[in-house]
Amino acid sequence: MSVLRSRLLFSTLLLLSCASASGQGEPAPPPVRFLLTFDDGPAAADSDNPTVRVLETLAHNPYQDNIKAVFFTQTRAWHGGGTDTGRALIRREHAEGHVVALHSATWFHSNHRFMSRATLDETMQRGVDDLVAETGVAPKLVRPPFWAYDAETLDSYRQHGMQMLLTDLNANDGKIYGINFSWHKRSNMLTHLAETRKRWAAGAMPVVDGSTPIVVTFHDVNTYTSRHIEEYMGILLDVARELDVPLAAKPFYDDREELERAALASTVNSADAKPQLPGLWNWLWQ
C-alpha cells in the first residue's frame, strides 16, 4: 500500500472514530489551541541561555508572534532560579506576559511525594513567597517534579492557593545533560495528539473561550529544545492538520489572562482521577 493511500485510510478511520465518539449528527467539538508549558527553568547560563532563546522564539516566529506560555519554575535551584540570572529571568517572563508558576522551591529537583507534609508545606510556601517577591503575583498553578503526586500533595497545593496542571502532550525532552536530542520529535507528537484526539472527539476535554486547550510540555533548560522550539511549534501545527484536528484562528495563546483561564480549566484536582502521565511515570506512580 502506498504512503498516500495509507495516510488517506488513517484519516478516514480517524474521522469515523470522531463521528462515533461525538454521536451521529452532533456538532464537532470546538477547535483546539496549544497551551505551551516549560518545566525546570529558568536556566542560569550567562551566554547562549536556553530560557532566553525560548522567550525570544515565542515572541517572534513564523507561526504566531507574542505567544505566551506557562513557565513552571524552580525558584531555588542551584543552577537556575536560585541565581541572580535565574531570578532576573523569572521577572522577565512575567514582564513579557507569560504565566509564572511553581515547579519546586528546593536546591535540587526534589520529589514532592517523598517529602513529609511539613517539609512539603514549607517548600510550597517558600516557592509562593519567592514568586511574589519577583513578580508581585502569587502563583495559581503548580506542576509536581517527576509528575509525582498523591492526595497529600494535592491538599498541600490547595492550601497554598495552587492547582496542579499536568499535560496532554509531552516532548519527552526531560533529559537535560548528555544526549538530549531527539530523532522522533514528529512521530512522538503525532502519537500523543492521536491519543488526545480521542478525548477531544468525545467531548471529554474542557472548553474555554470557545476553544479546547491542549497542554504541551517542554523543558526550557534543555539546550536542544531551545534551539528547536520553532521546529516543535511547526510540528504541532502539522500533526494537527494530519489528524484532522481543527485549529483556532490563533493556534497558540497570546494573552496571559486567556492562557491562565485555559490552564486552570485543565487542572487535576483529585488523586482518584488517574490521568495518563508521560512515559514510565504513569507505570511508576499510577
Side-chain angles (χ1 to χ4, degrees), residues 256-277:
R256 176 160 49 205
E257 292 185 359
E258 286 186 346
L259 173 67
E260 190 168 65
R261 282 197 299 271
L264 287 170
S266 304
T267 54
V268 176
N269 297 300
S270 170
D272 297 327
K274 305 299 182 187
Q276 185 74 21
L277 299 176

Side-chain angles (χ1 to χ4, degrees), residues 4 53 55 60 101 112 181 234 268:
L4 178 59
R53 186 187 292 264
L55 289 170
H60 302 290
H112 292 170
F181 58 83
V268 176

